[in-house]
Amino acid sequence: MSAETMRTFAELGPYLTILVGAALPTHIWRWLGVLFAGKLDEQSELFTWVKAVATALVAGVIAKLILFPTGPLATLDVTIRALAAAAGFGAYVASGRRLALGVLVGELVILGGWLMLR
Amino acid sequence: METSDTANVPARAWFLRGASHLFSLPAFVLIGAQIGFAALAREAGFSLGQALLLTLAVWALPSQVVFVGIVGSGASLPAVMLAVGLSAVRFMPMVMSWTPVVRTPQTPRWLLLFMSWFVAVTAWVFAMAHLPDMPRKARLPFFAGFAICLTVMNAAVVGLAYLVIGAVPPMIAAMLVFLTPIYFLMALWGAARAHADRFALGLGLVLGPVFTILAPQIDLLAAGLIGGTLAYGLGRLVRKPLR
């Protein structure tokens, strides 16, 4: 374990730090979601808006994972990553929503890009 | 007597039916992505127990990845909590829209609070795509069967991958890491039940990176609220039903 990691863990130790620093700030949003759902009705306009907000948030996460990744994916050019996502999604829609095909096409573009362009 | 009527199927049976969906592509994609996380945690110097606790107690891949990254930079505990908290904001609208789908008038709130633990993107998309077509009392046990078993299985995968896989070659690691966004992208499209959902997908994809540049601290929150609200408005303008 690196000196930096040791510094973060110094106060509470690793396990308590994971619970307080990672689990708590994640679960708070889930608990708030249950509490704010109140009497929210599945058929209501408010529900449609909340679901659209959730979808846009997750879409934002997706775009960030593709455009600003960390680790080994970051060494691959951004155009390859964007092309792979577009090709995979295109194959998925064109094939009548075959998930396996979409995943396969996207990953093949990543593989091809890695082998040819790095 | 066996009939096609689903009204008298006990909750246990719905739980098992949910669990049977573990052997599906979304579950396998998530397993691949979790293997990528195990390699990341191991490389960052986390122990097996710490990697397992992160997976089970947090159960949100982006939060796990952010935590490993920011702890590796030696950030203080409040800074860690802020970074992880900002990356997990999506759970509030996700759980808010999940709750009306799974609950019955009799469902106690403590059970919903507990079950929300297992709401992450894979299980949320699964819930939004499958549950609305099911009898109401089947929904929570069916979700529990799928989501709890998915969590436990992935924790086992993280443990196994941590022990068995040494250093993952960078090319394989890149492909494993790419599984998450490519799968999420298609799954969100598949889970769309209204025009607003598809507009939200497109707008979130564009606005997420835009706000990462303009306002990196609150990028996802801004993309969600602005993109989601615009998508809702656009969805209201479209009259024809979603194909």
Side-chain angles (χ1 to χ4, degrees):
Chain A
M1 192 170 280
S2 68
E4 287 80 11
T5 306
M6 304 272 272
R7 204 188 312 151
T8 306
F9 285 166
E11 273 178 64
L12 298 176
Y15 292 96
L16 210 53
T17 304
I18 287 171
L19 292 180
V20 175
L24 183 66
T26 305
H27 283 299
I28 276 179
W29 298 112
R30 291 178 169 130
W31 298 329
L32 285 176
V34 171
L35 298 179
F36 283 147
K39 300 206 182 314
L40 188 62
D41 174 16
E42 213 184 322
Q43 310 296 333
S44 67
E45 292 291 317
L46 185 60
F47 174 87
T48 309
W49 176 74
V50 169
K51 197 183 166 209
V53 170
T55 303
L57 256 165
V58 178
V61 174
I62 295 170
K64 283 187 73 176
L65 288 173
I66 294 169
L67 297 182
F68 312 107
T70 50
L73 197 58
T75 63
L76 206 58
D77 195 81
V78 64
T79 44
I80 300 293
R81 287 182 256 127
L83 183 71
F89 184 72
Y92 166 75
V93 173
S95 66
R97 297 197 197 170
R98 291 180 58 185
L99 262 177
L101 189 74
V103 170
L104 187 70
V105 168
E107 290 289 359
L108 282 177
V109 174
I110 294 289
L111 183 67
W114 191 280
L115 294 176
M116 283 189 291
L117 298 171
R118 279 189 82 256
Chain B
M1 195 175 76
E2 280 286 298
T3 64
S4 59
D5 181 17
T6 52
N8 296 314
V9 177
R12 196 176 60 248
W14 285 116
F15 184 92
L16 291 174
R17 282 188 200 181
S20 73
H21 283 264
L22 275 185
F23 301 96
S24 60
L25 187 72
F28 285 122
V29 169
L30 186 59
I31 286 173
Q34 291 281 2
I35 291 173
F37 167 73
L40 185 79
R42 190 180 146 132
E43 229 160 274
F46 282 73
S47 72
L48 172 63
Q50 291 157 10
L52 279 174
L53 184 67
L54 257 176
T55 308
L56 273 175
V58 179
W59 191 239
L61 207 43
S63 290
Q64 294 163 227
V65 172
V66 166
F67 181 83
V68 167
I70 195 163
V71 164
S73 70
S76 67
L77 187 59
V80 172
M81 292 176 74
L82 185 69
V84 174
L86 284 171
S87 79
V89 173
R90 69 181 178 285
F91 285 120
M92 198 174 98
M94 281 170 70
V95 172
M96 268 183 84
S97 50
W98 163 86
T99 304
V101 175
V102 293
R103 73 178 159 201
T104 68
Q106 289 79 40
T107 309
R109 181 167 282 170
W110 64 262
L111 185 59
L112 289 168
L113 287 169
F114 173 72
M115 287 306 302
S116 74
W117 180 352
F118 306 99
V119 176
V121 168
T122 303
W124 184 77
V125 164
F126 181 81
M128 293 325 225
H130 287 80
L131 299 184
D133 301 326
M134 302 180 63
R136 187 156 282 280
K137 76 177 188 66
R139 295 179 185 181
L140 197 58
F142 185 86
F143 176 84
F146 178 73
I148 294 177
C149 294
L150 187 68
T151 305
V152 171
M153 182 168 73
N154 273 280
V157 166
V158 166
L160 204 65
Y162 186 99
L163 292 173
V164 173
I165 304 174
V168 178
M171 187 183 79
I172 303 297
M175 291 176 75
L176 288 174
V177 171
F178 191 71
L179 277 173
T180 305
I182 187 71
Y183 164 68
F184 280 12
L185 187 60
M186 293 182 285
L188 272 191
W189 184 264
R193 291 250 155 187
H195 287 289
D197 296 333
R198 290 191 176 166
F199 287 126
L201 175 56
L203 286 164
L205 285 174
V206 174
L207 292 180
V210 167
F211 283 114
T212 302
I213 294 160
L214 295 181
Q217 288 294 313
I218 53 157
D219 52 353
L220 294 175
L221 198 60
L225 283 174
I226 296 171
T229 304
L230 279 174
Y232 170 75
L234 287 170
R236 289 208 58 160
L237 297 176
V238 184
R239 292 262 172 238
K240 59 178 199 265
L242 191 65
R243 277 192 302 129

